[in-house]
Amino acid sequence: MAAAVGKTLSVGSTISAGSKSGPATHHKTMGVKLNSVARFSSFSGLKATSSVNQGLDASLLGSGNLVALKTSFVAKAVEQNQRLYKQLQTQASYKVAVLGAAGGIGQPLALLIKMSPLVSALHLYDVANVKGVAADLSHCNTPSQVLDFTGPSELASALKGVNVVVIPAGVPRKPGMTRDDLFNINAGIVKNLIEAVADNCPDAFIHIISNPVNSTVPIAAEILKKKGVYDPKKLFGVTTLDVVRANTFVAQKKNLKLIDVDVPVIGGHAGITILPLLSKTRPSVTFTDEEVQELTVRIQNAGTEVVEAKAGAGSATLSMAYAAARFVESSLRALDGDSDVYECTYIESDVTDLPFFASRVKLGRKGVEAVITKDLQGLSEYEEQALEALKPELRASIEKGIAFANKQPVAGA
């Protein structure tokens, strides 16, 4: 989950600062090798190395001067190595709360978050069965402390001082159930949890996973408005799974290295409101009309694909947990000052005539720093038509969420 990043300064190869120094050799180079290893928050597993190499002709120096130069260089190199390490070392300093941590998504999500080097405390909340999950996770030898909270009476404590709140709570989809069928149950759950978030950690990043996301995010926005703490830059619908699926399916279809593939996905997070922009795939790749149709439909219906494959035993819990953990990690990196964090997410937006819309954004310490509008420019004819076709359904879902929130009394508002 965290990639090791090596910083190497290499001058020849005969002396290694920070390790045992061997006797001088007869080569015409003198060497110092420095290694700084930092733990970075990334799901990519990439390793990066930056190196500097320099040779010094020993024949130009007397033996005394060579020894002096070696000693001086080693001292300076060690100092530089320590400075680099301090700059690169990641500090586990953020608190994350998972609301619904004992569920099918919550458990694997909590495990993945526990692995993050940026997390100092992991608060697990559910209405039941969370103590065992917390006890199990607490045995993992990663830095974050795991605390459990059970039931409404402990919800406030679970949220105190938290930087990121992730909400997978709710009932899962079952065979024959649409996301709209989930609405009445999950809308009420999200409302109650968001009220507690507003009261106890109003400045936190809020990640909504509970379906139907197209409606639950507008519900959360309305509740936060009533509480007087709404910050549209910090409320996110987690649509990362659509991107994860798009990247996977395109890489398989086109025999590409998965690590290189990036497909922006816009719109919403249900059925035809999910619109992968295959024309914007990186690296650039050509699709036939049939491939575009096939891939788009598969990405839109991938959740149903899993529900049917599990034959009543669950929904897309593992892939959703992976995608949600990726978005949590991106948020933590942004909070930690990384200036190069981009994700697709469902937010309050003005890039279309819809009040909420999923698109690529740049994340920063205060949430959404910028919406990347260029993804929506120069769309293919198929994508233009699909974008217009999704709007009525997405608008209806948004309005349904807002209407639900406005009918409900808000505690303490």
Side-chain angles (χ1 to χ4, degrees), residues 63-113:
S63 59
N65 288 336
L66 182 58
V67 171
L69 180 58
K70 285 181 180 179
T71 303
S72 173
F73 191 89
V74 169
K76 290 180 179 179
V78 170
E79 180 182 353
Q80 182 178 356
N81 188 49
Q82 291 172 341
R83 185 167 61 252
L84 282 170
Y85 187 79
K86 288 179 181 178
Q87 290 173 349
L88 293 172
Q89 189 175 31
T90 300
Q91 297 295 325
S93 55
Y94 298 99
K95 295 181 179 180
V96 178
V98 179
L99 309 184
I105 296 171
Q107 290 195 44
L109 173 57
L111 171 61
L112 292 169
I113 295 173

Side-chain angles (χ1 to χ4, degrees), residues 144-359:
S144 56
Q145 179 186 18
V146 181
L147 300 173
D148 63 270
F149 303 86
T150 303
S153 64
E154 296 185 6
L155 179 55
S157 298
L159 293 169
K160 293 291 185 185
V162 164
N163 304 104
V164 177
V165 179
V166 193
I167 306 180
V171 298
R173 292 176 68 196
K174 296 178 181 178
M177 181 185 286
T178 67
R179 283 188 170 89
D180 196 54
D181 294 332
L182 302 176
F183 181 82
N184 288 331
I185 298 173
N186 288 355
I189 292 172
V190 169
K191 170 189 172 291
N192 293 334
L193 294 176
I194 290 296
E195 287 178 355
V197 171
D199 291 338
N200 296 284
C201 54
D203 293 327
F205 283 21
I206 305 170
H207 296 184
I208 305 288
I209 298 172
S210 305
N211 275 318
V213 168
N214 291 353
S215 298
T216 53
V217 172
I219 289 171
E222 292 301 307
I223 300 302
L224 293 168
K225 287 176 186 176
K226 291 183 179 183
K227 288 281 192 175
V229 294
Y230 179 49
D231 184 348
K233 295 180 180 180
K234 294 183 178 180
L235 176 63
F236 308 93
V238 180
T239 60
T240 318
L241 180 53
D242 301 324
V243 176
V244 166
R245 286 167 167 163
N247 292 349
T248 301
F249 299 162
V250 167
Q252 291 170 346
K253 189 73 174 177
K254 291 299 185 178
N255 196 28
L256 301 171
K257 281 187 176 180
L258 186 55
I259 197 67
D260 296 331
V261 178
D262 179 33
V263 182
V265 182
I266 65 170
H269 186 55
I272 66 165
T273 70
I274 301 168
L275 178 55
L277 300 181
L278 297 173
S279 69
K280 304 291 183 179
T281 297
R282 290 180 290 184
S284 181
V285 61
T286 301
F287 299 95
T288 65
D289 292 344
E290 292 75 18
E291 287 174 331
V292 169
Q293 174 71 17
E294 176 191 341
L295 284 166
T296 300
V297 170
R298 189 183 178 199
I299 293 162
Q300 291 172 339
N301 296 323
T304 301
E305 182 179 312
V306 175
V307 169
E308 292 177 350
K310 289 189 175 182
S315 58
T317 54
L318 300 178
S319 54
M320 183 66 249
Y322 168 81
R326 165 176 151 170
F327 194 76
V328 169
E329 195 77 353
S330 292
S331 293
L332 294 172
R333 285 169 48 209
L335 284 167
D336 203 47
D338 190 331
S339 61
D340 190 32
V341 182
Y342 297 84
E343 289 284 0
C344 290
T345 180
Y346 182 66
I347 59 169
E348 181 176 308
S349 172
D350 61 3
V351 297
T352 69
D353 56 348
L354 298 168
F356 291 86
F357 196 79
S359 61

Side-chain angles (χ1 to χ4, degrees), residues 183 215 218-219 222 226 396-408:
F183 181 82
S215 298
I219 289 171
E222 292 301 307
K226 291 183 179 183
S397 296
I398 294 168
E399 291 173 351
K400 185 173 183 178
I402 292 172
F404 173 88
N406 288 333
K407 289 178 184 176
Q408 304 296 315

